């Protein structure tokens, strides 16, 4: 008997579940059938791969060695089948590969793109690094990239990309614990945060450099915690830190979001496309989605209606 991928998949299932009964249920076969299959595999290899006992099935030393070689093969075959099916699906309709840094406008944009391109396969890649996404567009791995550029920290734009500015200057607000003393103000001065720790994600292109420049200009040199977004949210909610945030950020019961007086922190939002990829329709759908996200966020809506200017997509709010 020659070993096949289905045999290797059976070995992995037995090892993962530790039971012939559970493995058979996972594989959708009967336990006697799986037991017979395991016996044939062991006969073909000339050695016992599992010990059977009251506590279940456990790999023998040789079984562990076989499993270490089998798992990459099973995973590779699974990936091959998934990628082939995805490629076949893309062949049935136009494909659009979208990249984006984090944005509340992203879900609405994808919804609009799918509605405007029925039957299309739209792939999404989210990355904290705008430069990484732009390089992926330049290399042909993405068709579009919606990215932000921190003020004072220009992006490294590869040759050949076409882009349009979505928001010329999006103010960055500040997030803090709901019971922070400054949370009672409609607009917060940087001086109100002089004794706070700040947290930033160092993987976000330009975020730390931009914040450091603004704090230094205000005469502040606070301690800084480097953390990803999820960890930062926990720190902020517990009152351990404050952080810059997008004005479109959604409300949370344990967190307050307020604009900074004078809008010292800001980013520019762009949509870039690879050569030959239409830009007008995706840009129009993104502008509409961003406007929706902005108007859902009460602090940003108030800021805009008080005379704040973000960009063309937010005119006549």
């Amino acid at each position: 008997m020659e070993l096949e991928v289905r045999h290797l998949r059976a070995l992995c299932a037995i090892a993962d579940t530790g039971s012939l009964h559970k493995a058979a249920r996972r594989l959708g076969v009967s336990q006697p059938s799986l037991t017979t299959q395991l016996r044939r595999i062991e006969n073909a290899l000339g050695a016992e791969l599992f010990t059977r006992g009251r506590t279940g099935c456990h790999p023998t030393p040789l079984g562990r060695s076989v499993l270490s070689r089998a798992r990459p093969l099973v995973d590779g075959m699974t990936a091959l089948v998934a990628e082939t099916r995805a490629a076949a699906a893309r062949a049935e309709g136009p494909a659009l590969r979208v990249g984006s840094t984090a944005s509340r406008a992203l879900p609405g944009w994808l919804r609009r793109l799918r509605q405007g391109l029925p039957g299309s396969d739209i792939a999404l890649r989210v990355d904290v690094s705008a430069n990484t996404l732009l390089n992926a567009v330049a290399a042909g791995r993405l068709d579009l990239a919606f990215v932000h550029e921190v003020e004072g920290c220009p992006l490294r734009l590869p040759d050949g990309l076409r882009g349009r500015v979505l928001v010329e200057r999006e103010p960055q607000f500040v997030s803090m614990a709901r019971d922070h003393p400054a949370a009672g103000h409609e607009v917060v001065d940087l001086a109100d945060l002089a004794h706070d720790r700040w947290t930033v994600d160092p993987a976000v292109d330009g975020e730390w450099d931009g914040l450091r420049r603004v704090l230094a200009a205000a005469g502040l040199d606070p301690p800084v915690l480097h953390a990803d977004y999820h960890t930062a949210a926990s720190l902020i909610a517990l009152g351990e830190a404050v952080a810059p945030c997008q004005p479109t950020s959604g409300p949370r019961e344990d967190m307050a979001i307020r604009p900074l007086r004078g809008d010292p922190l800001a980013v520019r939002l762009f949509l870039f496309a690879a050569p030959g990829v239409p830009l007008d329709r995706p840009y129009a759908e993104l502008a509409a989605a961003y406007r929706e996200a902005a108007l859902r966020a009460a602090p940003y809506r108030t800021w805009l209606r008080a005379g704040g200017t973000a960009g063309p997509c937010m005119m006549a709010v």
Side-chain angles (χ1 to χ4, degrees):
M1 182 186 83
E2 292 187 1
L3 288 184
E4 302 174 10
V5 174
R6 63 188 179 92
H7 298 137
L8 302 182
R9 187 173 286 111
L11 295 178
C12 292
I14 296 169
D16 291 342
T17 61
S19 161
L20 283 167
H21 175 68
K22 293 178 181 178
R25 290 184 61 183
R26 174 185 290 189
L27 297 169
V29 299
S30 67
Q31 181 175 333
S33 173
L34 181 59
T35 300
T36 300
Q37 187 177 67
L38 176 57
R39 188 179 302 115
R40 288 175 178 171
I41 294 171
E42 290 178 327
N43 288 338
L45 295 177
E48 187 178 62
L49 302 180
F50 291 90
T51 59
R52 290 78 148 173
R54 296 180 62 182
T55 59
C57 289
H58 304 284
T60 62
L62 181 60
R64 287 194 292 271
S65 176
V66 171
L67 285 165
S68 70
R69 303 287 295 274
R71 290 188 189 280
L73 296 174
V74 171
D75 291 343
M77 181 58 69
T78 300
L80 172 63
V81 171
E83 291 168 8
T84 302
R85 287 174 176 170
R90 287 195 296 270
E92 297 175 359
L96 190 63
R97 299 165 299 170
V98 174
S100 178
T101 49
S103 172
R104 289 278 177 171
L106 189 54
W109 184 34
L110 293 179
R111 185 190 71 245
R112 287 173 172 274
L113 287 174
R114 288 196 176 96
Q115 290 173 346
L117 298 169
S120 297
D121 173 43
I122 300 178
L124 173 64
R125 173 183 173 184
V126 176
D127 199 297
V128 296
S129 171
N131 286 311
T132 296
L133 293 171
L134 294 178
N135 288 333
V137 175
R141 296 190 296 272
L142 291 174
D143 300 309
L144 298 167
F146 173 37
V147 299
H148 70 274
E149 176 186 77
V150 176
E151 196 168 61
C153 304
L155 295 172
R156 301 186 298 273
L157 187 62
D159 294 334
L161 302 191
R162 297 172 299 114
R164 290 181 62 181
V165 175
L166 179 75
V167 175
E168 184 63 39
R169 193 173 192 272
E170 180 192 70
Q172 298 301 279
F173 289 1
V174 62
S175 56
M176 64 194 78
R178 178 63 66 179
D179 59 357
H180 191 290
H185 305 161
E186 291 187 3
V187 179
V188 175
D189 288 293
L190 280 174
D192 297 331
L193 309 172
H195 302 294
D196 286 284
R197 288 179 291 270
W198 288 74
T199 179
V200 295
D201 185 345
V204 178
D205 296 325
E207 182 169 287
W208 168 224
D209 290 336
L211 177 62
R212 181 171 50 186
R213 174 179 55 81
V214 168
L215 292 175
L220 302 178
D221 186 22
V224 175
L225 306 176
H226 289 164
D228 60 77
Y229 284 127
H230 295 295
T231 304
S234 298
L235 292 170
I236 295 164
L238 291 173
E240 291 296 317
V242 299
C245 67
Q246 298 175 9
T248 51
S249 298
R252 285 181 48 153
E253 292 184 357
D254 55 358
M255 200 177 293
I257 296 172
R258 299 289 184 267
L260 289 166
R261 192 174 306 281
D263 306 317
L265 283 167
V267 303
R268 182 183 295 176
L269 303 182
F270 293 94
L271 180 63
F272 286 99
V277 175
L279 189 59
D280 289 347
R281 178 66 177 272
Y283 178 88
E285 301 293 12
L286 177 57
Y290 181 87
R291 181 184 174 88
E292 287 178 351
L295 295 181
R296 280 197 305 269
Y300 197 18
R301 184 173 65 243
T302 300
W303 182 90
L304 288 164
R305 290 177 174 169
T309 302
C313 68
M314 294 308 301
M315 293 181 66
V317 171

